[in-house]
Amino acid sequence: MLRVAVVGSGPSGVYTAQSLVQQHDVPDVRVDVLDRLPCPYGLVRYGVAPDHEKIKSLQGNLRTVLEEDRVRFLGNVEVGGPELGPERLLELYHAVVYCVGAARDRRLDVPGEDLPGVSAATDFVSWYSAHPDAADGGFALDGVRSAVVIGAGNVAVDVTRMLARGEDELRPTDMPEPALGALAGSGVRDVRMVARRGPAQGKFTTKELRELGTLPGVAISVDPAELALDPAFADPAALPAVNRRNVEVLRAWAGAGPDPALPRRITLRFFLRPVELLAGPDGRVGAVRFERTLAEPDGRVRGTGAYEDIEAQLVLRAVGYKGVPLPGLPFDAASGTVPHAAGRVLRDGAPAPGEYVAGWIKRGPTGVIGTNRPCAKETAGSLLADAALLAARPVAPDPLAALRAAGLRPVEWGGWLSIESAERSLGRSLGRGSVKIPDWQGLLAAAEQPA
Ligand code: NAP
């Protein structure tokens, strides 16, 4: 038997488990999928926006893997803490695959970034996704008329859309009551998503961008003169397909102009880089100062020394994620990833026997969920190729007993099913569908109940 621990139950972890058990070259591979949270699915549960039911439904595919006979989900198990580090894991398992993602948000490093009213988009996402580590109290949106979202990736698009959505669209989702109340009752009328480069360099995918134009009651505003600052705008034919399609969507919006009769507006701005966040009279953020940029031939931009202040009582920075080091594992701070060769962790440049990585901690925070499939497959392939050597090393006979003996209280699959059942009951009591439990205590208590 080859006993493997996969650390992280997001898409990269589950696809790795799948590649390890759904193959015929190495018999009897057993996989424990460990997660710090009592709930599985990582960013599919806690990152995909609640109104994206179709992407959320991927949970069904991930569930099928976690319900395989040779796969076991063990939630509420933190790796990297004092009880369970990489060294100890290698005493319990023949191999360990780290699929821990990229847990931190990037910062802007400009003055005023810590003013009240300025947050990482990832914190906003954690709040409406009911992540149990989301800050207590969440986001109060009273008094917010205008919001600025900095960045032009899919996270920026997600939070822009969530800010512009109305109650009828939010109520059917599984978002917790306080977030639903705050978003549905908010007075946000203007959301400006601001990119430091041009329309041809947006990182968003076309489907996500186009969706902004379909929101009920929301006008889309794009200034054709600002789009035209991009040399590729006049003739996007030579751009890669996704960028060309993005430019075409923006061009159509610019041509149509915003509908003034609609109550809310999303404005897409380009060639503006944030240089300072300015306080309003109440000490909270009141505006963002941007510098106008110009395109360079290599796709980068340079500042022009011309500035524009955009009003905002809420500012969300959506400028990407960053990997964080896991104590005991090597880490390349520049890329925010673990050094590896085809998924084999490198210690001092040489493959470390039994240690592997997959997902964002391996390749950085890029790509869509499906990108994790080939990534996981490559890592699983390396591990299976090493299987004979790995299986020769003796390991503890019962890792679950060893985890319990170390003081950990793993939530097994039955516990997760109980959480799901409690979330359905909570939803029923509120006259809604399933509603997520937002706190550690509630999740762990639900896990103890019969499903
Ligand atoms: P991202 O795609 O890397 O986008 C980050 C954005 O922030 C870029 O527009 C970048 O501009 C900008 N930026 C970086 N530093 C900046 C600064 N100092 N000032 C101003 N702008 C700055 O990151 P993300 O949106 O966090 O998404 C992460 C990954 O998750 C992506 O692969 C994304 O596709 C995926 N995701 C997918 C979905 C979906 O499929 N629905 C939803 C959410 C996330 P530059 O290009 O100029 O650097």
Side-chain angles (χ1 to χ4, degrees), residues 42-279:
L43 279 181
V44 176
R45 178 170 161 94
Y46 287 118
V48 171
D51 63 334
H52 271 177
E53 291 93 359
K54 202 161 165 220
I55 310 182
K56 285 256 173 225
S57 69
L58 264 176
Q59 288 187 11
N61 303 2
L62 304 183
R63 164 189 290 266
T64 310
V65 177
L66 293 176
E67 287 183 335
E68 286 243 5
D69 284 347
R70 285 175 293 148
V71 177
R72 180 165 63 170
F73 170 73
L74 299 175
N76 195 33
V77 173
E78 177 161 14
V79 173
E83 297 94 355
L84 193 61
E87 233 174 275
R88 177 70 182 134
L89 268 182
L90 279 179
E91 293 167 3
L92 306 183
Y93 296 94
H94 294 110
V96 185
V97 189
Y98 293 90
C99 304
V100 293
R104 192 167 294 157
D105 59 281
R106 284 186 184 279
R107 288 178 62 87
L108 297 170
D109 294 325
V110 300
E113 193 165 2
D114 294 316
L115 282 172
V118 183
S119 291
T122 50
D123 289 341
F124 194 67
V125 172
S126 289
W127 168 64
Y128 64 57
S129 303
H131 194 294
D133 289 342
D136 287 344
F139 284 74
L141 299 175
D142 334 336
V144 178
R145 299 176 308 279
S146 303
V148 161
V149 177
I150 299 173
N154 278 333
V155 171
V157 174
D158 275 351
V159 296
T160 295
R161 190 182 68 252
M162 291 302 289
L163 280 166
R165 282 244 189 246
E167 176 165 6
D168 289 350
E169 303 140 64
L170 296 173
R171 182 158 284 279
T173 71
D174 62 3
M175 68 164 54
E177 277 294 286
L180 173 66
L183 285 168
S186 95
V188 176
R189 292 292 168 264
D190 264 304
V191 188
R192 297 183 179 92
M193 189 175 119
V194 187
R196 63 181 173 181
R197 296 197 286 160
Q201 290 94 38
K203 292 269 177 71
F204 32 67
T205 40
T206 311
K207 188 163 161 275
E208 275 62 29
L209 177 67
R210 195 177 279 132
E211 189 183 5
L212 292 178
T214 66
L215 306 181
V218 181
I220 292 275
S221 174
V222 195
D223 176 1
E226 196 167 61
L227 294 183
L229 294 173
D230 191 334
F233 183 66
D235 182 11
L239 293 172
V242 61
N243 306 72
R244 179 170 45 74
R245 284 195 294 264
N246 286 345
V247 167
E248 282 162 4
V249 169
L250 291 162
R251 188 201 286 274
W253 286 339
D259 181 345
L262 296 175
R264 292 184 298 277
R265 180 182 294 208
I266 291 174
T267 306
L268 295 149
R269 301 291 312 267
F270 294 94
F271 293 112
L272 290 172
R273 73 174 172 212
V275 292
E276 188 173 357
L277 291 109
L278 308 170

Side-chain angles (χ1 to χ4, degrees), residues 339-352:
H340 73 95
R344 293 181 178 93
V345 171
L346 298 176
R347 290 186 183 267
D348 300 322

